[in-house]
Amino acid sequence: MAKRKTVKSEDYGDFFENLEVLAKDKGIDIAILTEKIKYAIEKSLMSNLHFDAEIEFEKRKAEPDEEKLNPEHYVCVDFDMEKRNFSVYVLKEVIEEIDNLYEPDKEIVLEEARKIDPKLEVGDHVRIPIDTKMFKRIAAKNAKDLIRQGFSTAERQRLSEIWGQYQDEAVSAVVTRVDPKTGFATLEIDHNEVNLPRNEQIPGETLEVGQVIKVYISGVSKEFKEGEKNQTLKISRNDKWLIKRLFELECPEIQDGTVEIMAVSRAPGSRSKIAVWSKDENVDPLGACIGPQKSRINAVTKEIKGEKVDVVLYSEEPEEFIKQALKPAEVSRVVITNPNPDKRECKAVVPDNQLSLAIGNKGQNAWLAAKLTGYKIDIKAESAVTDEDFEIVPLDPKYLNTEEDEAAEGEAETSAEAAQEIEESANAE
């Protein structure tokens, strides 16, 4: 005789185990994930049952039990993590008998209702467990996308709350996928996938799966809003501030504040310039950044795929700073021709044999120096210089030092008062 098949009770053990694994893998609180799933299932069921909770709530506002009829209570999902089980209920209204308008998803006849609670009367509301098979069909059909959206929302919230402290920092990332057609890469940072667009990669760079690279986090949402779709983590390999962070990682003198990076300019994939300054006259800022046998600067250039980096001395004197910024060319003279902050311009005079070096390939050296110093630099060979080249635009009065002007006016007033007193004394005599 064939053995009778026994129907196994519902076992949600795998579901809860997978949920815990997912929460641990993503670094998201299990309570947050369960709330997202509850919301997704409740919303899916209400939609599937054509249940407009807001309308139902408005209809019953005047009833004595209105406080019990909060819209969110029409469908309820209860999770029990300890017992590895959950239950789904729908709130139904007790009616006297079945009629043409009977809605079995929302209503229950008095006779059936009293089997649950003998005290129920017509017009009361009772929570009815949803058949598990029915729930599975609804969840599989409608709730999947909502649950996925809930996970994405939880991940964005975690990024906003935890990664906010990494704003403007460089972090290590592992390349997990690369689209061979578009070059679009997916990176893993702290167990989370983050997209690195092609235009944020170093030009000419070819990323490979499994490769560990440094990226600069240039945008983190520090405040999270439920439902916000524009929550993104922006990372970059070609941001100029990545250069600064890489030198900070390599140079102890920068980490302890003895040497400071004052400015950075960059042509990603080709060349960069950084201006450094030392608070201690006994510490050479250039040597600190270059390192013994160029070890530190080589480590930085290796990370950015051989991109050349010029380290120059910063100076508070604009003329000297511009001379340093134009290196490796030797500059004979720099004249600030327009000192106004909104239109800073200068003329840089170089020996004839240094002109091409000062300008650089396709003007790159001059462009980087201009970005580094904040001045528009017009480079002239010594043989081509004329007197007109050194005509200086006067400083706009609005940029004059008002404190010095006030002090000068005060001194003038004091002198005038003193002269008047002397004159009055002489007349009295």
Side-chain angles (χ1 to χ4, degrees):
M1 181 182 290
K3 292 183 179 180
R4 177 182 292 181
K5 294 183 179 180
T6 58
V7 179
K8 294 183 180 181
S9 60
E10 296 294 343
D11 181 12
Y12 297 103
D14 290 344
F15 170 79
F16 282 95
E17 288 177 6
N18 292 336
L19 189 62
E20 288 181 338
V21 170
L22 179 63
K24 183 177 180 180
D25 183 53
K26 296 294 185 180
I28 303 173
D29 189 343
I30 187 70
I32 295 177
L33 286 186
T34 55
E35 283 300 318
K36 300 299 180 185
I37 294 175
K38 284 176 61 177
Y39 171 78
I41 295 174
E42 288 172 359
K43 187 173 181 180
S44 177
L45 283 172
M46 292 180 71
S47 174
N48 201 272
L49 297 174
H50 307 289
F51 219 125
D52 193 328
E54 294 292 344
I55 294 177
E56 296 293 331
F57 182 59
E58 291 295 328
K59 287 181 181 179
R60 296 178 173 86
K61 263 188 176 180
E63 298 184 12
D65 58 348
E66 61 178 282
E67 292 184 358
K68 301 178 182 178
L69 297 178
N70 191 301
E72 64 186 20
H73 294 160
Y74 281 107
V75 174
C76 180
V77 178
D78 291 332
F79 274 85
D80 191 331
M81 294 297 297
E82 293 184 0
K83 295 182 180 180
R84 291 291 195 270
N85 200 1
F86 64 86
S87 303
V88 184
Y89 301 90
V90 171
L91 185 70
K92 292 188 178 183
E93 181 180 359
V94 179
I95 61 174
E96 187 170 358
E97 59 184 16
I98 297 176
D99 56 23
N100 293 334
L101 300 177
Y102 174 60
E103 297 180 275
D105 290 336
K106 304 176 184 179
E107 298 172 332
I108 183 172
V109 294
L110 181 61
E111 183 181 352
E112 293 297 322
R114 283 183 171 172
K115 292 179 181 179
I116 300 172
D117 185 352
K119 298 179 182 180
L120 290 172
E121 299 291 342
V122 174
D124 289 341
H125 295 83
V126 60
R127 294 193 181 281
I128 307 298
I130 291 183
D131 179 75
T132 307
K133 293 181 180 179
M134 175 187 176
F135 160 68
K136 282 187 175 180
R137 289 197 303 271
I138 296 173
K141 184 177 180 181
N142 299 324
K144 182 171 66 175
D145 291 339
L146 290 170
I147 292 174
R148 184 184 295 115
Q149 180 182 352
F151 286 165
S152 298
T153 301
E155 287 189 68
R156 291 200 306 270
Q157 183 173 8
R158 177 179 177 273
L159 291 178
S160 298
E161 294 175 350
I162 297 179
W163 285 9
Q165 61 183 314
Y166 297 127
Q167 176 83 30
D168 304 326
E169 296 293 339
V171 299
S172 296
V174 180
V175 181
T176 57
R177 288 195 300 273
V178 179
D179 188 323
K181 293 183 179 180
T182 64
F184 192 94
T186 302
L187 312 182
E188 182 179 305
I189 304 175
D190 195 15
H191 305 291
N192 286 274
E193 289 189 343
V194 183
N195 296 323
L196 180 64
R198 185 61 191 163
N199 62 355
E200 293 296 340
Q201 299 174 29
I202 299 174
E205 179 178 39
T206 302
L207 299 177
E208 298 179 356
V209 174
Q211 183 180 356
V212 179
I213 59 176
K214 285 285 193 303
V215 294
Y216 180 76
I217 299 179
S218 57
V220 177
S221 300
K222 294 183 179 180
E223 293 182 1
F224 176 80
K225 294 181 181 179
E226 187 70 29
E228 176 61 55
K229 295 182 179 180
N230 295 324
Q231 295 282 321
T232 58
L233 179 70
K234 185 178 179 181
I235 60 176
S236 176
R237 289 270 291 162
N238 61 21
D239 194 292
K240 70 176 184 178
W241 297 116
L242 176 62
I243 305 296
K244 180 180 180 181
R245 296 306 183 200
L246 292 177
F247 271 100
E248 288 175 346
L249 293 173
E250 296 295 333
C251 303
E253 294 85 352
I254 297 178
Q255 295 174 15
D256 63 23
T258 304
V259 174
E260 187 174 352
I261 296 177
M262 306 301 293
V264 181
S265 61
R266 186 182 184 192
S270 180
R271 192 173 181 181
S272 297
K273 286 180 181 283
I274 65 169
V276 295
W277 174 76
S278 176
K279 295 179 181 179
D280 187 343
E281 60 181 13
N282 297 318
V283 176
D284 176 17
L286 300 184
C289 292
I290 296 172
Q293 299 180 343
K294 299 185 178 181
S295 59
R296 295 174 181 174
I297 196 170
N298 285 343
V300 172
T301 56
K302 181 180 179 181
E303 176 60 42
I304 52 179
K305 300 305 173 186
E307 182 179 313
K308 186 177 180 181
V309 181
D310 296 335
V311 184
V312 303
L313 281 173
Y314 172 79
S315 175
E316 293 182 350
E317 297 295 330
E319 293 87 352
E320 181 59 30
F321 186 22
I322 293 165
K323 282 185 179 182
Q324 295 293 326
L326 285 170
K327 286 189 172 182
E330 295 296 329
V331 181
S332 305
R333 182 184 179 191
V334 172
V335 177
I336 306 299
T337 55
N338 192 336
N340 291 285
D342 57 342
K343 295 182 180 179
R344 289 177 172 172
E345 298 177 359
C346 72
K347 287 287 192 303
V349 181
V350 299
D352 289 22
N353 63 355
Q354 295 284 302
L355 182 61
S356 60
L357 185 61
I359 295 173
N361 183 25
K362 298 180 181 179
Q364 189 180 82
N365 191 60
W367 181 85
L368 287 170
K371 290 294 183 181
L372 192 71
T373 61
Y375 279 83
K376 181 180 178 180
I377 305 174
D378 183 11
I379 302 174
K380 305 283 289 187
E382 289 179 342
S383 61
V385 172
T386 63
D387 293 338
E388 289 75 15
D389 288 326
F390 301 118
E391 291 181 357
I392 299 175
V393 176
L395 184 65
D396 193 312
K398 66 181 179 181
Y399 297 117
L400 292 174
N401 191 326
T402 56
E403 292 183 0
E404 291 182 359
D405 293 343
E406 291 175 359
E409 289 176 2
E411 291 177 1
E413 290 176 359
T414 303
S415 300
E417 290 175 358
Q420 185 176 359
E421 290 178 359
I422 294 172
E423 184 179 353
E424 289 176 354
S425 298
N427 292 334
E429 293 176 356

